[in-house]
Amino acid sequence: MREPISRDARLALDLALTIRHDGNGGVTDDLADPAGLTEWVRAHPELLPGTAPDPADGHREGFVAGTAPQPAGGEDAGTGFTADAAQLTAVRELRAAVRALFARAVRPGEPSPADAARLMPLAEALRHLNEVAARTPTVPVLDWPEGATPLVRPKPVRAADDLSAALAHAVIAFLVSPDRDRLRACHAPRCVRYFLKEHPRQEWCKPSCGNRARVARHHQRHKVTA
């Protein structure tokens, strides 16, 4: 059964997955330059500065799904964004922290082979994530729908004007949510992706990775037999 993925989980995963297999046996970085970040942010307009959070998603206690700010101008609001070098550095540093925390989350499984040998130390990753999130402080806002129990959602103290802070809020919301327990690293040949398990028997991020893994196991068995 396919489990739904929250917006926060999708943003956190999408950020981590800007490090990916290049199709030729190596690893590529979608955020190698400001143009790459520009393209990525334009595909995620909910991260644009100068927007407010969507209260419709605030229906869980504590950190809730949908903590990243929502675009004020609709789905096309991100088309005018252009990243600069400082934003690129900030997002890349945040991504390094996120991938280190993802590696922790998948324990006792192995992390993605893309950066398993050079992960940011965990204490540094936690400190960095929290410091980035603090660039846009939030306050608790009570939500008490008729006929329902009261819930709390975070609301920015001021307009969210920091791209990396909006991302950090989404990452924290994901890491404290039940979705974190579904996080896995795909270890099929040539894959470096993290993914969320959609059913208990899922081992790989997508069917093509499963096919490659089964072929590799078949060849290995025959090699051992020979």
Side-chain angles (χ1 to χ4, degrees):
M1 179 179 178
R2 182 180 294 271
E3 294 283 348
I5 298 178
S6 71
R7 184 172 67 243
D8 292 323
R10 174 50 57 201
L11 285 172
L13 278 169
D14 283 357
L15 176 61
L17 296 183
T18 55
I19 297 288
R20 58 182 177 82
H21 187 262
D22 65 2
N24 297 306
V27 175
T28 191
D29 185 352
D30 288 337
L31 305 183
D33 53 31
L37 179 59
T38 297
E39 181 179 356
W40 190 81
V41 172
R42 289 182 180 185
H44 298 79
E46 65 269 35
L47 290 173
L48 284 176
T51 59
D54 183 357
D57 288 323
H59 292 292
R60 288 209 310 254
E61 288 192 69
F63 267 104
V64 296
T67 58
Q70 288 298 288
E75 291 184 0
D76 295 328
T79 56
F81 173 84
T82 301
D84 59 28
Q87 289 171 316
L88 176 66
T89 297
V91 173
R92 284 171 59 93
E93 289 175 348
L94 176 63
R95 182 184 62 185
V98 169
R99 289 184 66 88
L101 295 170
F102 274 23
R104 176 179 180 175
V106 300
R107 291 177 179 173
E110 294 295 321
S112 165
D115 50 9
R118 52 183 176 84
L119 289 168
M120 181 184 291
L122 284 173
E124 182 181 344
L126 282 168
R127 182 175 63 253
H128 186 75
L129 177 64
N130 288 326
E131 288 175 352
V132 173
R135 293 174 188 169
T136 304
T138 62
V139 295
V141 176
L142 184 67
D143 186 16
W144 200 345
E146 186 69 31
T149 57
L151 301 171
V152 65
R153 60 180 175 85
K155 178 181 179 180
V157 173
R158 58 181 181 271
D161 56 3
D162 189 282
L163 172 63
S164 56
L167 274 170
H169 285 204
V171 171
I172 290 173
F174 165 62
L175 289 175
V176 300
S177 75
D179 283 337
R180 185 197 68 247
D181 293 333
R182 297 164 51 202
L183 185 68
R184 299 292 187 274
C186 184
H187 292 287
R190 304 191 303 279
C191 190
V192 298
R193 291 169 58 90
Y194 284 100
F195 68 98
L196 296 187
K197 289 187 69 167
E198 296 176 351
H199 54 80
R201 298 182 62 185
Q202 184 178 357
E203 297 183 51
W204 304 285
C205 65
K206 51 189 177 182
S208 58
C209 281
N211 292 337
R212 287 201 309 274
R214 283 186 285 270
V215 168
R217 289 176 182 176
H218 175 77
H219 287 320
Q220 183 62 27
R221 284 196 298 268
H222 278 266
K223 182 179 180 181
V224 171
T225 301

